[in-house]
Amino acid sequence: MKDVGSFDISFEDLSWDIKEVYLLMGYGDCIPSLEVVKLIRETLEEIKPLLSLHCSYILKEGHTDGREKLIIDKVEFMTGRIITHALNGASSYVFFTATIGSGFDNYCRHLKSGDDELKIFVADMIGSVIAEAVVSWLMGELKDLAEEEGWLISNNYSPGYCDWALVEQQKLFGFFPENITGIRLTDSCLMLPIKSVSGVVAIGVGIKKRPYGCSICKMPTCFRNKRRL
């Protein structure tokens, strides 16, 4: 497995379900009205040509320290108890980034110049689902690369969730070579393009892929919690 990887992928490479959009919109297991379904599909078709799907990773040796800390190249990440527990037992760690590109941001800015609040909301939900689908594609790629070495991987975890402070994205991005991610951080540590994801995955022979601790987490902005509601 290479120490650094970078991928441009197509929309057709992704595995996802339109029902994910329905879930994020709050429909649960129900199907929206025909008018809303039509709007979702029309908006998706407008978005697809604008996408620039890109993901990258960097492989580093490291270790957890105590119950709340991950150390990589002497850099300390306060990942919190939930994430640190999930990362235990690894010999190496992968930092990753994924983005759907700035074309989506431009599209949303254009929508916001109008007054179609429902379409703005629909576009935002579609963007979130596609971004997670890019992460899922990358996790599949990392799983395959790890298995070639006889390793296993954990679930992926991101700054801003499970008590891992968003500000630590500055440290995470510091490990990536310049211009590899296609993402920049704002002063408040938000990523641009806006539909981008960063995080960490544990890799090693003894790794156990522990379930996400969503049952004990009430964070309303978490993508996975929204899917459960």
Side-chain angles (χ1 to χ4, degrees):
M1 182 174 181
K2 295 181 179 179
D3 290 342
V4 180
S6 181
F7 309 93
D8 291 312
I9 62 178
S10 69
F11 184 80
E12 288 70 28
D13 292 325
L14 303 181
S15 177
W16 70 292
D17 193 321
I18 196 70
K19 291 180 181 177
E20 294 286 325
V21 178
Y22 304 162
L23 283 170
L24 278 192
M25 291 180 67
Y27 286 98
D29 294 329
C30 300
I31 304 297
S33 68
L34 290 177
E35 291 81 3
V36 173
V37 170
K38 181 181 178 183
L39 176 61
I40 292 170
R41 295 190 178 279
E42 288 177 349
T43 305
L44 175 61
E45 290 305 310
E46 291 174 0
I47 289 171
K48 282 166 60 175
L50 308 175
L51 298 174
S52 298
L53 309 180
H54 181 79
C55 47
S56 57
Y57 77 85
I58 184 163
L59 176 68
K60 305 291 290 185
E61 292 185 356
H63 64 277
T64 56
D65 182 16
R67 301 177 68 181
E68 301 191 10
K69 189 184 298 183
L70 173 66
I71 300 178
I72 307 289
D73 287 355
K74 298 183 180 180
V75 178
E76 296 185 355
F77 292 86
M78 299 304 297
T79 44
R81 293 188 179 186
I82 294 173
I83 295 176
T84 304
H85 176 68
L87 299 178
N88 278 336
S91 55
S92 300
Y93 296 88
V94 166
F95 289 130
F96 71 87
T97 65
T99 183
I100 71 172
S102 59
F104 177 82
D105 291 14
N106 296 334
Y107 175 81
C108 289
R109 279 193 290 271
H110 175 72
L111 285 185
K112 290 175 181 178
S113 66
D115 59 358
D116 193 339
E117 296 296 330
L118 178 57
K119 188 166 186 176
I120 293 170
F121 176 64
V122 166
D124 185 59
M125 297 300 99
I126 291 173
S128 294
V129 169
I130 295 174
E132 286 295 325
V134 176
V135 174
S136 294
W137 182 93
L138 178 59
M139 292 307 107
E141 186 73 13
L142 292 177
K143 179 176 180 291
D144 291 344
L145 292 172
E147 286 179 349
E148 291 176 1
E149 307 290 340
W151 301 335
L152 301 173
I153 71 169
S154 71
N155 279 319
N156 54 288
Y157 299 89
S158 297
Y161 299 96
C162 302
D163 297 324
W164 187 8
L166 184 65
V167 68
E168 295 212 326
Q169 286 201 125
Q170 292 177 335
K171 299 177 184 177
L172 187 155
F173 272 81
F175 284 100
F176 283 89
E178 188 175 358
N179 299 324
I180 191 176
T181 66
I183 301 168
R184 72 175 181 87
L185 291 181
T186 67
D187 292 340
S188 57
C189 292
L190 296 177
M191 290 178 284
L192 295 175
I194 194 67
K195 293 303 181 183
S196 301
V197 183
S198 68
V200 66
V201 176
I203 290 186
V205 175
I207 285 298
K208 294 182 179 179
K209 197 166 188 178
R210 298 178 173 90
Y212 287 111
C214 299
S215 61
I216 60 173
C217 173
K218 306 302 181 185
M219 189 173 186
T221 57
C222 179
F223 183 85
R224 292 178 180 84
N225 266 337
K226 285 185 177 181
R227 290 169 63 179
R228 290 193 305 117
L229 296 177

